[in-house]
Amino acid sequence: MKAPAFEYLRPTSVTEAIALLGQHPEAKLIAGGQSLLASLNLRLSQPSHLIDIGRLPELRGIAVKNGVLRIGALTRHAETMAAPEIATHAPLLKAAIHHVAHAAIRTRGTIGGSLANADPAAELPACILALDATLIIAGPHGERREAAADFFTGLFGTTLAPDEILAAIEVPLAAANAVHGFQELTRRSGDYAIVGLAAQGLRGANGLSALRLAWFSIGSKATLTPHAAAALLGPAPSLERAAAALAEELEPHDDLQANVATRLTLARVLLRRVAGPLLTPSGIAA
Amino acid sequence: MIEISLTVNGEPVSASVLPRTHLVDFLREELGLTGAHLGCEHGVCGACTVRLDGEIVRGCLVLAVQADGGSVETIEGMSDTGEIADLQQAFIDRNALQCGFCTPGMLIAAQDLLRHGGVPSREDIREHLSGNYCRCTGYHAIVDAVETTAKQREAAQ
Ligand SMILES: Cc1cc2nc3c(=O)[nH]c(=O)nc-3n(C[C@H](O)[C@H](O)[C@H](O)COP(=O)(O)OP(=O)(O)OC[C@H]3O[C@@H](n4cnc5c(N)ncnc54)[C@H](O)[C@@H]3O)c2cc1C
Ligand code: FES
Ligand code: FES
């Protein structure tokens, strides 16, 4: 189908974009357009205006400063895939990104768009939970910062107000003893996952610490499972206890791809595949 | 209506478009370039693949207004320059097309992989073409044609 009619605005600064959002309550931002234009073509929404932030230099760039990796909201998936700073300091993102859609979508789709869209099946929201990232959000009264764990509120829901713009994310630099893992189950490469898991932690002489297990495509939003992670810490980790904890911490949904019981079973399969190598000192982090 | 200027297959084009017009409708209906096809119109099938500023994109998920100032290359332009003549011949030799609906998108996506040089594995070829549906060939012949072209280009170096 064709998109419904809308007006098109191309502000030249973030401040102007925020002002436009304030003036047009029915407007929507467009970054890469790879989720938004698909949904407009399907007539799933009918914004009055599209405000194109896709060219704003303030929202671009990847930089390492003061012990954090700052990734501009407009960083395209293809750039995330290629950036040496990301490979070095946030290898989990590098491991995840080629699972996001297909080559011709990764050239346009952005990290900010993916996070703001908050699709429960998307990889990047779970990754930033596992990385304990911070979101930098610009609004009419300046910038605010929010922990990834507080940002996602539910199905396609975030704490972004209608006149706010996600400007960047900040990721703590991966420590020398950091380990990570990423796995998802899909029908076809590039499709949204049936279930997926992103994990990051530290590995020392006494086993794992600071482990974060972040799930996607299971329940209404990307979800951390701290009890399952706790069962894997220290000198006496237990995959069995971790797998058991998942039943308490995850709220699998039913859809055409898998029902509740299948999703939980698949989550346990992924837990073994991801956590197994992290627990083995000689294992290579997946 | 919004005024846009861009290059299409190396030629400057100026036009005035409705904001909701996507790039493929613009190419097909304003410029008569009908090589880029519309299958699903929501990003899934890849029939609409074109190059924008040197990178492959879904033509159905880019607005014509977003391409303002950019450089678009379509299968017509890539055929005229001869950039993919060998790949096109390999598609014919290997029977890698039947109805041909997916073929312009397949060729452009495959060329995007081949441009990086070397001989990609069949796995890598399948991965790079995973966003392009073909309802006729079953893909095997397409992978053959892409692999053959990669080997020929490598040998010619
Ligand atoms: C066929 C297909 C398959 C896909 N497969 C996957 C997949 O497997 N995994 C996956 O994760 N994604 C997938 N995607 C989605 C893709 O990753 C998108 O690029 C991404 O979800 C959105 O990024 P965007 O820049 O294109 O956002 P847009 O489409 O431009 O915007 C999406 C939403 O976010 C809002 N927004 C955008 N940027 C900002 C910002 N900076 N601040 C505030 N709000 C903002 C917009 O208003 C809009 O509501 C797929 C898409 C397609 C078409
Ligand atoms: S028509 Fe664009 S992906 Fe199907
Ligand atoms: S040749 Fe018919 S769809 Fe590919």
Side-chain angles (χ1 to χ4, degrees), chain B residues 97-100 102 134-136:
Chain B
L97 68 159
Q98 290 176 29
C99 78
C102 70
C134 175
R135 299 289 74 166
C136 302

Side-chain angles (χ1 to χ4, degrees), chain A residues 142-158:
Chain A
E143 270 187 6
R144 68 181 178 93
R145 303 164 64 83
E146 184 149 59
D150 299 326
F151 181 68
F152 302 105
T153 55
L155 200 62
F156 296 99
T158 70

